[in-house]
Amino acid sequence: MLEDKTPQRTQLSQLGEFGLIDHLTKNFDVKNASTLKSIGDDAAVLDFGTKKAVVSTDLLIEGVHFDLAYMPLRHLGYKAVVVNLSDICAMNAKPTQITVSVAVSNRFPLEALEELFDGITLAAKVYNIDVIGGDTTSSQKGLIISVTAIGEANEDEIVYRNGAKEGDLLVVTGDLGSAYMGLQVLEREKQVFQVNPNNQPDLDAYTYLIERQLKPEARTDVRELLEQLNVKPTSMIDVSDGLSSEILHICKQSKVGCNLYEEKIPVDPQFINVCEEFNIDSTTIAINGGEDYELLFTIALDDFDKIKANPNFTVVGHIVKEEESSYLITRANTKISLKARGWNALEE
């Protein structure tokens, strides 16, 4: 059979706002007992009983946060959910619901939004959360996605950024820097394609890095892991804007300093290889890259024995007095002042 070169494109105006909402949300079902009313009324109704609610929201804007030249809409929908769930995880809370709002220009047919919502639906299934509402409107600037995530936790379980104490250990989950290098690979291949559209990129050597960029995962497992180990962090944040920036957020709000050790920073072998290919310093990227969506937290020194054998966690430094400031300790044992050089959404 011949491939259909003119796929069906359904104008959104044919459905209207409420018809579009009904169409895009028909596959969402309710999984959490705390969701009393989801989509279909003026507001969702949630019942957390004695638990505390945790809420976070993020905007993703075409041309600022994503490029549809290499970001599939299904992956974008999935990622839009994950980046918000990561904020709930960073409070040591359990994500339970999200709302999704979309502003879309007339260049997007219904089929494009179906792909976007396929990704959102998959993320809701994977993370066992309920999609309980949102909004749709038109845009003159392409695609804009806003997701609000809601979670629950007992009051004594919630972890803030301001609890780090002198002597605490700095711990990160997973590995760092891969998402940024995945983006560099995709940007390079985009430039090659623009010069020669017949060129088909060979991305086999970059699969892990590209997946970290296009389809990150939220560390919803960490809360349970720490509970099983009987460890409660003293402070916590997610690594979305770069390790250096996140460490300094904790230090500022906790009124402390820190020593971060270069040799301890966890990185993937594929990341090292691609940094060499691009002639980029791997440590610079690992501490400044961003979009890893791993968790950074501090624990009391007494808890070290509980986590030291766990492959999910790496101790990368320790907390010192505020007047001792914050430094990167290099492999050559020199001290470099730690600066926030991660992602800044308002930078020109």
Side-chain angles (χ1 to χ4, degrees), residues 254-290:
S254 298
K255 295 180 171 57
V256 295
C258 77
N259 287 328
L260 169 67
Y261 291 87
E262 179 183 21
E263 64 181 358
K264 300 294 186 182
I265 299 170
V267 293
D268 187 83
Q270 190 175 102
F271 165 78
I272 296 293
N273 292 339
V274 178
C275 283
E276 291 175 356
E277 179 183 336
F278 277 71
N279 196 28
I280 296 176
D281 179 67
S282 60
T283 299
T284 300
I285 302 306
I287 67 174
N288 298 316

PDB file of all heavy atoms in Angstrom, residues 254-290:
ATOM      1  N   SER A 254      19.078  27.883  53.549  1.00  0.00           N
ATOM      2  CA  SER A 254      19.465  27.256  54.812  1.00  0.00           C
ATOM      3  C   SER A 254      20.515  28.067  55.569  1.00  0.00           C
ATOM      4  O   SER A 254      20.892  27.710  56.691  1.00  0.00           O
ATOM      5  CB  SER A 254      20.015  25.847  54.550  1.00  0.00           C
ATOM      6  OG  SER A 254      19.045  25.002  53.972  1.00  0.00           O
ATOM      7  N   LYS A 255      21.020  29.128  54.915  1.00  0.00           N
ATOM      8  CA  LYS A 255      22.050  29.981  55.513  1.00  0.00           C
ATOM      9  C   LYS A 255      23.300  29.164  55.882  1.00  0.00           C
ATOM     10  O   LYS A 255      23.795  29.201  57.013  1.00  0.00           O
ATOM     11  CB  LYS A 255      21.503  30.731  56.739  1.00  0.00           C
ATOM     12  CG  LYS A 255      20.407  31.734  56.392  1.00  0.00           C
ATOM     13  CD  LYS A 255      19.905  32.456  57.626  1.00  0.00           C
ATOM     14  CE  LYS A 255      18.983  33.613  57.255  1.00  0.00           C
ATOM     15  NZ  LYS A 255      17.826  33.201  56.440  1.00  0.00           N
ATOM     16  N   VAL A 256      23.796  28.434  54.869  1.00  0.00           N
ATOM     17  CA  VAL A 256      24.991  27.613  55.043  1.00  0.00           C
ATOM     18  C   VAL A 256      25.876  27.744  53.806  1.00  0.00           C
ATOM     19  O   VAL A 256      25.498  28.376  52.824  1.00  0.00           O
ATOM     20  CB  VAL A 256      24.632  26.122  55.242  1.00  0.00           C
ATOM     21  CG1 VAL A 256      23.870  25.918  56.550  1.00  0.00           C
ATOM     22  CG2 VAL A 256      23.831  25.578  54.057  1.00  0.00           C
ATOM     23  N   GLY A 257      27.055  27.139  53.840  1.00  0.00           N
ATOM     24  CA  GLY A 257      27.923  26.995  52.680  1.00  0.00           C
ATOM     25  C   GLY A 257      28.093  25.523  52.374  1.00  0.00           C
ATOM     26  O   GLY A 257      27.477  24.667  53.019  1.00  0.00           O
ATOM     27  N   CYS A 258      28.926  25.198  51.389  1.00  0.00           N
ATOM     28  CA  CYS A 258      29.118  23.786  51.066  1.00  0.00           C
ATOM     29  C   CYS A 258      30.438  23.571  50.346  1.00  0.00           C
ATOM     30  O   CYS A 258      31.024  24.501  49.776  1.00  0.00           O
ATOM     31  CB  CYS A 258      27.974  23.259  50.206  1.00  0.00           C
ATOM     32  SG  CYS A 258      28.097  23.754  48.478  1.00  0.00           S
ATOM     33  N   ASN A 259      30.903  22.332  50.373  1.00  0.00           N
ATOM     34  CA  ASN A 259      32.004  21.872  49.538  1.00  0.00           C
ATOM     35  C   ASN A 259      31.454  20.776  48.635  1.00  0.00           C
ATOM     36  O   ASN A 259      30.947  19.755  49.127  1.00  0.00           O
ATOM     37  CB  ASN A 259      33.158  21.321  50.385  1.00  0.00           C
ATOM     38  CG  ASN A 259      33.929  22.413  51.090  1.00  0.00           C
ATOM     39  OD1 ASN A 259      34.052  23.523  50.578  1.00  0.00           O
ATOM     40  ND2 ASN A 259      34.442  22.127  52.274  1.00  0.00           N
ATOM     41  N   LEU A 260      31.537  21.001  47.310  1.00  0.00           N
ATOM     42  CA  LEU A 260      31.118  20.024  46.305  1.00  0.00           C
ATOM     43  C   LEU A 260      32.381  19.441  45.681  1.00  0.00           C
ATOM     44  O   LEU A 260      33.250  20.187  45.231  1.00  0.00           O
ATOM     45  CB  LEU A 260      30.258  20.711  45.235  1.00  0.00           C
ATOM     46  CG  LEU A 260      29.935  19.906  43.971  1.00  0.00           C
ATOM     47  CD1 LEU A 260      29.018  18.732  44.296  1.00  0.00           C
ATOM     48  CD2 LEU A 260      29.294  20.810  42.919  1.00  0.00           C
ATOM     49  N   TYR A 261      32.479  18.102  45.621  1.00  0.00           N
ATOM     50  CA  TYR A 261      33.698  17.447  45.142  1.00  0.00           C
ATOM     51  C   TYR A 261      33.532  16.981  43.700  1.00  0.00           C
ATOM     52  O   TYR A 261      32.661  16.169  43.385  1.00  0.00           O
ATOM     53  CB  TYR A 261      34.059  16.283  46.061  1.00  0.00           C
ATOM     54  CG  TYR A 261      34.507  16.753  47.425  1.00  0.00           C
ATOM     55  CD1 TYR A 261      33.573  16.992  48.428  1.00  0.00           C
ATOM     56  CD2 TYR A 261      35.850  17.012  47.683  1.00  0.00           C
ATOM     57  CE1 TYR A 261      33.972  17.463  49.670  1.00  0.00           C
ATOM     58  CE2 TYR A 261      36.267  17.489  48.923  1.00  0.00           C
ATOM     59  CZ  TYR A 261      35.320  17.708  49.922  1.00  0.00           C
ATOM     60  OH  TYR A 261      35.723  18.186  51.147  1.00  0.00           O
ATOM     61  N   GLU A 262      34.389  17.510  42.832  1.00  0.00           N
ATOM     62  CA  GLU A 262      34.316  17.199  41.404  1.00  0.00           C
ATOM     63  C   GLU A 262      34.372  15.701  41.146  1.00  0.00           C
ATOM     64  O   GLU A 262      33.604  15.169  40.337  1.00  0.00           O
ATOM     65  CB  GLU A 262      35.468  17.886  40.670  1.00  0.00           C
ATOM     66  CG  GLU A 262      35.491  17.612  39.172  1.00  0.00           C
ATOM     67  CD  GLU A 262      36.691  18.240  38.479  1.00  0.00           C
ATOM     68  OE1 GLU A 262      37.687  18.543  39.165  1.00  0.00           O
ATOM     69  OE2 GLU A 262      36.627  18.425  37.248  1.00  0.00           O
ATOM     70  N   GLU A 263      35.254  14.996  41.833  1.00  0.00           N
ATOM     71  CA  GLU A 263      35.452  13.570  41.565  1.00  0.00           C
ATOM     72  C   GLU A 263      34.241  12.721  41.964  1.00  0.00           C
ATOM     73  O   GLU A 263      34.130  11.560  41.549  1.00  0.00           O
ATOM     74  CB  GLU A 263      36.697  13.066  42.295  1.00  0.00           C
ATOM     75  CG  GLU A 263      36.601  13.126  43.806  1.00  0.00           C
ATOM     76  CD  GLU A 263      37.868  12.629  44.491  1.00  0.00           C
ATOM     77  OE1 GLU A 263      38.794  12.212  43.782  1.00  0.00           O
ATOM     78  OE2 GLU A 263      37.909  12.669  45.739  1.00  0.00           O
ATOM     79  N   LYS A 264      33.344  13.279  42.763  1.00  0.00           N
ATOM     80  CA  LYS A 264      32.191  12.519  43.241  1.00  0.00           C
ATOM     81  C   LYS A 264      30.951  12.691  42.364  1.00  0.00           C
ATOM     82  O   LYS A 264      29.976  11.949  42.512  1.00  0.00           O
ATOM     83  CB  LYS A 264      31.840  12.948  44.675  1.00  0.00           C
ATOM     84  CG  LYS A 264      32.947  12.734  45.697  1.00  0.00           C
ATOM     85  CD  LYS A 264      33.248  11.272  45.898  1.00  0.00           C
ATOM     86  CE  LYS A 264      34.251  11.054  47.023  1.00  0.00           C
ATOM     87  NZ  LYS A 264      34.590   9.619  47.201  1.00  0.00           N
ATOM     88  N   ILE A 265      30.956  13.661  41.460  1.00  0.00           N
ATOM     89  CA  ILE A 265      29.759  13.957  40.667  1.00  0.00           C
ATOM     90  C   ILE A 265      29.459  12.790  39.725  1.00  0.00           C
ATOM     91  O   ILE A 265      30.313  12.417  38.906  1.00  0.00           O
ATOM     92  CB  ILE A 265      29.944  15.264  39.867  1.00  0.00           C
ATOM     93  CG1 ILE A 265      30.170  16.442  40.828  1.00  0.00           C
ATOM     94  CG2 ILE A 265      28.736  15.531  38.981  1.00  0.00           C
ATOM     95  CD1 ILE A 265      30.601  17.722  40.143  1.00  0.00           C
ATOM     96  N   PRO A 266      28.261  12.206  39.802  1.00  0.00           N
ATOM     97  CA  PRO A 266      27.953  11.020  38.986  1.00  0.00           C
ATOM     98  C   PRO A 266      27.592  11.392  37.547  1.00  0.00           C
ATOM     99  O   PRO A 266      26.725  12.223  37.306  1.00  0.00           O
ATOM    100  CB  PRO A 266      26.741  10.407  39.709  1.00  0.00           C
ATOM    101  CG  PRO A 266      26.059  11.580  40.347  1.00  0.00           C
ATOM    102  CD  PRO A 266      27.150  12.552  40.718  1.00  0.00           C
ATOM    103  N   VAL A 267      28.293  10.771  36.595  1.00  0.00           N
ATOM    104  CA  VAL A 267      28.021  11.013  35.177  1.00  0.00           C
ATOM    105  C   VAL A 267      28.014   9.674  34.437  1.00  0.00           C
ATOM    106  O   VAL A 267      28.635   8.705  34.874  1.00  0.00           O
ATOM    107  CB  VAL A 267      29.057  11.970  34.537  1.00  0.00           C
ATOM    108  CG1 VAL A 267      28.934  13.369  35.113  1.00  0.00           C
ATOM    109  CG2 VAL A 267      30.473  11.431  34.733  1.00  0.00           C
ATOM    110  N   ASP A 268      27.315   9.643  33.301  1.00  0.00           N
ATOM    111  CA  ASP A 268      27.216   8.437  32.495  1.00  0.00           C
ATOM    112  C   ASP A 268      28.391   8.364  31.509  1.00  0.00           C
ATOM    113  O   ASP A 268      28.836   9.400  30.998  1.00  0.00           O
ATOM    114  CB  ASP A 268      25.889   8.454  31.736  1.00  0.00           C
ATOM    115  CG  ASP A 268      25.627   7.157  30.994  1.00  0.00           C
ATOM    116  OD1 ASP A 268      25.135   6.217  31.623  1.00  0.00           O
ATOM    117  OD2 ASP A 268      25.929   7.095  29.782  1.00  0.00           O
ATOM    118  N   PRO A 269      28.898   7.156  31.203  1.00  0.00           N
ATOM    119  CA  PRO A 269      30.009   7.025  30.238  1.00  0.00           C
ATOM    120  C   PRO A 269      29.688   7.630  28.870  1.00  0.00           C
ATOM    121  O   PRO A 269      30.569   8.222  28.237  1.00  0.00           O
ATOM    122  CB  PRO A 269      30.203   5.507  30.141  1.00  0.00           C
ATOM    123  CG  PRO A 269      29.715   4.973  31.448  1.00  0.00           C
ATOM    124  CD  PRO A 269      28.572   5.864  31.839  1.00  0.00           C
ATOM    125  N   GLN A 270      28.452   7.495  28.400  1.00  0.00           N
ATOM    126  CA  GLN A 270      28.078   8.085  27.114  1.00  0.00           C
ATOM    127  C   GLN A 270      28.197   9.605  27.173  1.00  0.00           C
ATOM    128  O   GLN A 270      28.598  10.245  26.196  1.00  0.00           O
ATOM    129  CB  GLN A 270      26.659   7.670  26.739  1.00  0.00           C
ATOM    130  CG  GLN A 270      26.264   8.033  25.322  1.00  0.00           C
ATOM    131  CD  GLN A 270      24.889   7.502  24.954  1.00  0.00           C
ATOM    132  OE1 GLN A 270      23.914   8.245  24.944  1.00  0.00           O
ATOM    133  NE2 GLN A 270      24.806   6.214  24.643  1.00  0.00           N
ATOM    134  N   PHE A 271      27.868  10.171  28.321  1.00  0.00           N
ATOM    135  CA  PHE A 271      28.005  11.621  28.526  1.00  0.00           C
ATOM    136  C   PHE A 271      29.465  12.049  28.392  1.00  0.00           C
ATOM    137  O   PHE A 271      29.773  13.030  27.706  1.00  0.00           O
ATOM    138  CB  PHE A 271      27.455  11.981  29.906  1.00  0.00           C
ATOM    139  CG  PHE A 271      27.838  13.348  30.409  1.00  0.00           C
ATOM    140  CD1 PHE A 271      27.186  14.475  29.947  1.00  0.00           C
ATOM    141  CD2 PHE A 271      28.848  13.501  31.342  1.00  0.00           C
ATOM    142  CE1 PHE A 271      27.542  15.740  30.407  1.00  0.00           C
ATOM    143  CE2 PHE A 271      29.216  14.752  31.803  1.00  0.00           C
ATOM    144  CZ  PHE A 271      28.551  15.877  31.331  1.00  0.00           C
ATOM    145  N   ILE A 272      30.374  11.307  29.006  1.00  0.00           N
ATOM    146  CA  ILE A 272      31.802  11.625  28.925  1.00  0.00           C
ATOM    147  C   ILE A 272      32.285  11.574  27.480  1.00  0.00           C
ATOM    148  O   ILE A 272      32.988  12.476  27.000  1.00  0.00           O
ATOM    149  CB  ILE A 272      32.625  10.652  29.787  1.00  0.00           C
ATOM    150  CG1 ILE A 272      32.282  10.801  31.272  1.00  0.00           C
ATOM    151  CG2 ILE A 272      34.118  10.858  29.556  1.00  0.00           C
ATOM    152  CD1 ILE A 272      32.692  12.113  31.871  1.00  0.00           C
ATOM    153  N   ASN A 273      31.887  10.531  26.757  1.00  0.00           N
ATOM    154  CA  ASN A 273      32.317  10.373  25.360  1.00  0.00           C
ATOM    155  C   ASN A 273      31.854  11.541  24.493  1.00  0.00           C
ATOM    156  O   ASN A 273      32.613  12.050  23.657  1.00  0.00           O
ATOM    157  CB  ASN A 273      31.771   9.064  24.784  1.00  0.00           C
ATOM    158  CG  ASN A 273      32.409   7.846  25.416  1.00  0.00           C
ATOM    159  OD1 ASN A 273      33.500   7.927  25.981  1.00  0.00           O
ATOM    160  ND2 ASN A 273      31.721   6.711  25.348  1.00  0.00           N
ATOM    161  N   VAL A 274      30.619  11.966  24.686  1.00  0.00           N
ATOM    162  CA  VAL A 274      30.069  13.030  23.842  1.00  0.00           C
ATOM    163  C   VAL A 274      30.657  14.388  24.233  1.00  0.00           C
ATOM    164  O   VAL A 274      30.849  15.252  23.375  1.00  0.00           O
ATOM    165  CB  VAL A 274      28.525  13.024  23.896  1.00  0.00           C
ATOM    166  CG1 VAL A 274      27.944  14.168  23.066  1.00  0.00           C
ATOM    167  CG2 VAL A 274      27.996  11.687  23.374  1.00  0.00           C
ATOM    168  N   CYS A 275      30.952  14.597  25.502  1.00  0.00           N
ATOM    169  CA  CYS A 275      31.647  15.829  25.902  1.00  0.00           C
ATOM    170  C   CYS A 275      32.998  15.919  25.204  1.00  0.00           C
ATOM    171  O   CYS A 275      33.400  16.994  24.740  1.00  0.00           O
ATOM    172  CB  CYS A 275      31.829  15.876  27.420  1.00  0.00           C
ATOM    173  SG  CYS A 275      30.346  16.317  28.344  1.00  0.00           S
ATOM    174  N   GLU A 276      33.710  14.786  25.119  1.00  0.00           N
ATOM    175  CA  GLU A 276      34.996  14.772  24.411  1.00  0.00           C
ATOM    176  C   GLU A 276      34.799  15.051  22.925  1.00  0.00           C
ATOM    177  O   GLU A 276      35.575  15.783  22.297  1.00  0.00           O
ATOM    178  CB  GLU A 276      35.675  13.420  24.622  1.00  0.00           C
ATOM    179  CG  GLU A 276      36.142  13.196  26.046  1.00  0.00           C
ATOM    180  CD  GLU A 276      36.702  11.803  26.274  1.00  0.00           C
ATOM    181  OE1 GLU A 276      36.647  10.987  25.330  1.00  0.00           O
ATOM    182  OE2 GLU A 276      37.206  11.537  27.383  1.00  0.00           O
ATOM    183  N   GLU A 277      33.741  14.478  22.347  1.00  0.00           N
ATOM    184  CA  GLU A 277      33.447  14.709  20.929  1.00  0.00           C
ATOM    185  C   GLU A 277      33.178  16.184  20.657  1.00  0.00           C
ATOM    186  O   GLU A 277      33.604  16.727  19.627  1.00  0.00           O
ATOM    187  CB  GLU A 277      32.236  13.865  20.535  1.00  0.00           C
ATOM    188  CG  GLU A 277      31.807  14.017  19.083  1.00  0.00           C
ATOM    189  CD  GLU A 277      30.558  13.219  18.766  1.00  0.00           C
ATOM    190  OE1 GLU A 277      30.278  12.232  19.480  1.00  0.00           O
ATOM    191  OE2 GLU A 277      29.848  13.599  17.809  1.00  0.00           O
ATOM    192  N   PHE A 278      32.470  16.845  21.583  1.00  0.00           N
ATOM    193  CA  PHE A 278      32.133  18.263  21.419  1.00  0.00           C
ATOM    194  C   PHE A 278      33.233  19.188  21.954  1.00  0.00           C
ATOM    195  O   PHE A 278      33.102  20.401  21.867  1.00  0.00           O
ATOM    196  CB  PHE A 278      30.815  18.570  22.140  1.00  0.00           C
ATOM    197  CG  PHE A 278      29.575  18.247  21.353  1.00  0.00           C
ATOM    198  CD1 PHE A 278      29.204  16.938  21.122  1.00  0.00           C
ATOM    199  CD2 PHE A 278      28.771  19.262  20.849  1.00  0.00           C
ATOM    200  CE1 PHE A 278      28.063  16.630  20.399  1.00  0.00           C
ATOM    201  CE2 PHE A 278      27.627  18.981  20.131  1.00  0.00           C
ATOM    202  CZ  PHE A 278      27.272  17.650  19.897  1.00  0.00           C
ATOM    203  N   ASN A 279      34.281  18.582  22.531  1.00  0.00           N
ATOM    204  CA  ASN A 279      35.374  19.353  23.131  1.00  0.00           C
ATOM    205  C   ASN A 279      34.848  20.309  24.207  1.00  0.00           C
ATOM    206  O   ASN A 279      35.188  21.492  24.247  1.00  0.00           O
ATOM    207  CB  ASN A 279      36.150  20.125  22.060  1.00  0.00           C
ATOM    208  CG  ASN A 279      37.494  20.619  22.570  1.00  0.00           C
ATOM    209  OD1 ASN A 279      38.089  20.020  23.472  1.00  0.00           O
ATOM    210  ND2 ASN A 279      37.981  21.720  22.015  1.00  0.00           N
ATOM    211  N   ILE A 280      34.010  19.750  25.081  1.00  0.00           N
ATOM    212  CA  ILE A 280      33.409  20.506  26.181  1.00  0.00           C
ATOM    213  C   ILE A 280      33.847  19.875  27.494  1.00  0.00           C
ATOM    214  O   ILE A 280      33.905  18.650  27.619  1.00  0.00           O
ATOM    215  CB  ILE A 280      31.864  20.489  26.082  1.00  0.00           C
ATOM    216  CG1 ILE A 280      31.401  21.190  24.813  1.00  0.00           C
ATOM    217  CG2 ILE A 280      31.226  21.154  27.297  1.00  0.00           C
ATOM    218  CD1 ILE A 280      29.892  21.126  24.598  1.00  0.00           C
ATOM    219  N   ASP A 281      34.150  20.685  28.496  1.00  0.00           N
ATOM    220  CA  ASP A 281      34.546  20.183  29.808  1.00  0.00           C
ATOM    221  C   ASP A 281      33.354  19.502  30.485  1.00  0.00           C
ATOM    222  O   ASP A 281      32.310  20.129  30.714  1.00  0.00           O
ATOM    223  CB  ASP A 281      35.061  21.328  30.676  1.00  0.00           C
ATOM    224  CG  ASP A 281      35.466  20.851  32.056  1.00  0.00           C
ATOM    225  OD1 ASP A 281      36.446  20.093  32.162  1.00  0.00           O
ATOM    226  OD2 ASP A 281      34.778  21.214  33.025  1.00  0.00           O
ATOM    227  N   SER A 282      33.507  18.246  30.815  1.00  0.00           N
ATOM    228  CA  SER A 282      32.392  17.467  31.352  1.00  0.00           C
ATOM    229  C   SER A 282      31.923  17.972  32.715  1.00  0.00           C
ATOM    230  O   SER A 282      30.723  17.967  33.006  1.00  0.00           O
ATOM    231  CB  SER A 282      32.765  15.982  31.438  1.00  0.00           C
ATOM    232  OG  SER A 282      33.884  15.791  32.286  1.00  0.00           O
ATOM    233  N   THR A 283      32.833  18.414  33.547  1.00  0.00           N
ATOM    234  CA  THR A 283      32.441  18.902  34.873  1.00  0.00           C
ATOM    235  C   THR A 283      31.606  20.170  34.759  1.00  0.00           C
ATOM    236  O   THR A 283      30.599  20.340  35.469  1.00  0.00           O
ATOM    237  CB  THR A 283      33.670  19.162  35.752  1.00  0.00           C
ATOM    238  OG1 THR A 283      34.385  17.932  35.932  1.00  0.00           O
ATOM    239  CG2 THR A 283      33.271  19.715  37.106  1.00  0.00           C
ATOM    240  N   THR A 284      31.997  21.061  33.858  1.00  0.00           N
ATOM    241  CA  THR A 284      31.230  22.293  33.646  1.00  0.00           C
ATOM    242  C   THR A 284      29.783  21.970  33.273  1.00  0.00           C
ATOM    243  O   THR A 284      28.840  22.583  33.792  1.00  0.00           O
ATOM    244  CB  THR A 284      31.872  23.142  32.536  1.00  0.00           C
ATOM    245  OG1 THR A 284      33.197  23.483  32.928  1.00  0.00           O
ATOM    246  CG2 THR A 284      31.075  24.413  32.296  1.00  0.00           C
ATOM    247  N   ILE A 285      29.600  21.000  32.393  1.00  0.00           N
ATOM    248  CA  ILE A 285      28.248  20.616  31.974  1.00  0.00           C
ATOM    249  C   ILE A 285      27.514  19.894  33.085  1.00  0.00           C
ATOM    250  O   ILE A 285      26.326  20.139  33.325  1.00  0.00           O
ATOM    251  CB  ILE A 285      28.314  19.731  30.712  1.00  0.00           C
ATOM    252  CG1 ILE A 285      29.034  20.465  29.587  1.00  0.00           C
ATOM    253  CG2 ILE A 285      26.908  19.320  30.280  1.00  0.00           C
ATOM    254  CD1 ILE A 285      28.470  21.822  29.245  1.00  0.00           C
ATOM    255  N   ALA A 286      28.202  19.014  33.800  1.00  0.00           N
ATOM    256  CA  ALA A 286      27.555  18.225  34.850  1.00  0.00           C
ATOM    257  C   ALA A 286      27.001  19.107  35.961  1.00  0.00           C
ATOM    258  O   ALA A 286      25.959  18.782  36.548  1.00  0.00           O
ATOM    259  CB  ALA A 286      28.535  17.208  35.428  1.00  0.00           C
ATOM    260  N   ILE A 287      27.657  20.226  36.255  1.00  0.00           N
ATOM    261  CA  ILE A 287      27.169  21.063  37.354  1.00  0.00           C
ATOM    262  C   ILE A 287      26.293  22.221  36.878  1.00  0.00           C
ATOM    263  O   ILE A 287      25.625  22.850  37.700  1.00  0.00           O
ATOM    264  CB  ILE A 287      28.324  21.612  38.225  1.00  0.00           C
ATOM    265  CG1 ILE A 287      29.189  22.598  37.443  1.00  0.00           C
ATOM    266  CG2 ILE A 287      29.147  20.476  38.793  1.00  0.00           C
ATOM    267  CD1 ILE A 287      30.245  23.277  38.303  1.00  0.00           C
ATOM    268  N   ASN A 288      26.266  22.487  35.578  1.00  0.00           N
ATOM    269  CA  ASN A 288      25.506  23.640  35.083  1.00  0.00           C
ATOM    270  C   ASN A 288      24.428  23.289  34.071  1.00  0.00           C
ATOM    271  O   ASN A 288      23.626  24.150  33.700  1.00  0.00           O
ATOM    272  CB  ASN A 288      26.450  24.667  34.447  1.00  0.00           C
ATOM    273  CG  ASN A 288      27.446  25.238  35.431  1.00  0.00           C
ATOM    274  OD1 ASN A 288      27.092  25.585  36.553  1.00  0.00           O
ATOM    275  ND2 ASN A 288      28.716  25.311  35.039  1.00  0.00           N
ATOM    276  N   GLY A 289      24.404  22.044  33.585  1.00  0.00           N
ATOM    277  CA  GLY A 289      23.563  21.698  32.433  1.00  0.00           C
ATOM    278  C   GLY A 289      22.070  21.867  32.638  1.00  0.00           C
ATOM    279  O   GLY A 289      21.381  22.499  31.853  1.00  0.00           O
ATOM    280  N   GLY A 290      21.526  21.264  33.665  1.00  0.00           N
ATOM    281  CA  GLY A 290      20.090  21.364  33.911  1.00  0.00           C
ATOM    282  C   GLY A 290      19.264  20.334  33.174  1.00  0.00           C
ATOM    283  O   GLY A 290      19.761  19.579  32.333  1.00  0.00           O
TER     284      GLY A 290
END
